[in-house]
Amino acid sequence: MTTLLHVVGARPNFMKVAPVLRAAAALPNMRQYLVHTGQHYDAAMSDRFFEDLGLPAPDVNLGVGSATHSVQTAKIMIEFEPVLDRMKPDWIVVYGDVNSTMACTLVGVKKGVRVAHVEAGLRSRDRSMPEEINRIVTDALADLLLTPSRDGDENLRQEGIPESRIRFVGNVMVDTLLSLRARARELAAPSAHGVAGRSYAFCTFHRPSNVDQRETLAEILGALDDLAGRMPVVFPIHPRTRQRMTEFGLDGLTRRVTLLEPLGYLETVSLVDQSTLVLTDSGGLQEETTMLGVPCLTARPNTERPVTITEGTNRLVPSTRSGINAAVAEVLAARNNGGYHPGRPEGWDGRAGERIASLLTVS
Ligand code: UD1
């Protein structure tokens, strides 16, 4: 019998655990537990994703909530330790790059429990990003590093990690996208939002580097409003961004933009799939737009997902009004000259969950 303890905490983790849980459940002699740290807790940021993805209710919710990075990380560690003692897994499986990923890795390795990291090896080389710190610490400590793209293997080798700990498995987010794309289409979210059959843009922004300074956020919102003068701009707002807009008195800047509450997974995919372009600072959307063949402008100076640029539809743009406006103009011109095509990096084939599950069995 092999016991897996999967740890999730924040919105982008939920799409990643779903295919691994499903693939492992199909193997014999597998027991699985799902622990939710409670890093994200609003219905729109968490429960809705569990429903859309068909995830089982977590066996345990640590209920840590929001706090400073240190307090949140420490709380997760304190609450996770007794759960780990009780569940006694053969493997802890952690996902992505959020604080929950790093916190539970630290607890696990200190207690001598093996840790597998799904989405290992990604690097932005930007240590001002909290996620980059989480990635570096998690990969330095975890026993099995499961990479979504070949650049991940190379990054890990360059950090001196032995080959025996690295396994290229492909992209689990893509498993979820491919398995749910048809259901997302049936939802017809563009009709519900009045943009069906029209050119429209979909956008999300939540990175501290883009939304925590008034000037930067004002530049981005100004560019979205400029674009909204040309076509509908659908903008589901992350709670962090909503708070900052109000705090900085920027609510009036987006009068022409269609502001929405955070959306679930299916509704997001449904809207992205039919959109003319995506403007974002999300990691996941860079990958999803590549798979769907939708041009993506990522307002960041770097990306930990370079294959979305070299083999996909992604492009980095400065977080300025003029920079975004210039890039939008180029995307719209390119659309009239043949447009964009879906990218298919190696291992982005819908089978990553199966490859991961097969590596986690204990004989
Ligand atoms: C976290 C992840 C980030 C990921 C993002 C996706 C880290 C370091 N960051 O960032 O990598 O891209 O999730 O959303 O782990 N809040 C709510 N309701 C919630 C959750 C948060 O209102 O359910 C508010 C709180 O005021 C909180 C703020 O949003 O302070 C930010 O939440 P937090 O989890 O700290 O970071 P994210 O920006 O969501």
Side-chain angles (χ1 to χ4, degrees), residues 121-129 132 135-136 151-152 154-156 158-159 300 302-304 306:
L122 299 188
R123 294 290 181 272
S124 65
R125 302 203 162 70
D126 175 359
R127 290 196 179 199
S128 70
M129 271 181 96
E132 183 73 353
R135 293 181 199 115
I136 292 168
D151 56 284
E154 199 43 48
N155 291 335
L156 295 170
Q158 277 175 17
E159 290 174 19
R300 283 178 45 189
N302 48 58
T303 179
E304 62 289 335

Side-chain angles (χ1 to χ4, degrees), residues 10-12 39-42 45 66-67 69 72 97-100 130-131 134 206-208 238-240 243:
R11 192 166 59 172
Q39 179 176 342
H40 283 175
Y41 43 85
D42 282 350
M45 301 292 284
S66 302
H69 282 267
Q72 188 176 62
D97 55 18
V98 302
N99 287 344
S100 304
E131 292 81 2
N134 293 340
H206 75 285
R207 299 251 163 246
H238 187 284
R240 172 194 285 276
Q243 283 165 18

Side-chain angles (χ1 to χ4, degrees), residues 82-103:
V83 172
L84 185 55
D85 288 341
R86 211 167 63 236
M87 292 182 168
K88 298 191 176 22
D90 297 294
W91 286 101
I92 300 170
V93 192
V94 297
Y95 296 83
D97 55 18
V98 302
N99 287 344
S100 304
T101 312
M102 179 188 71

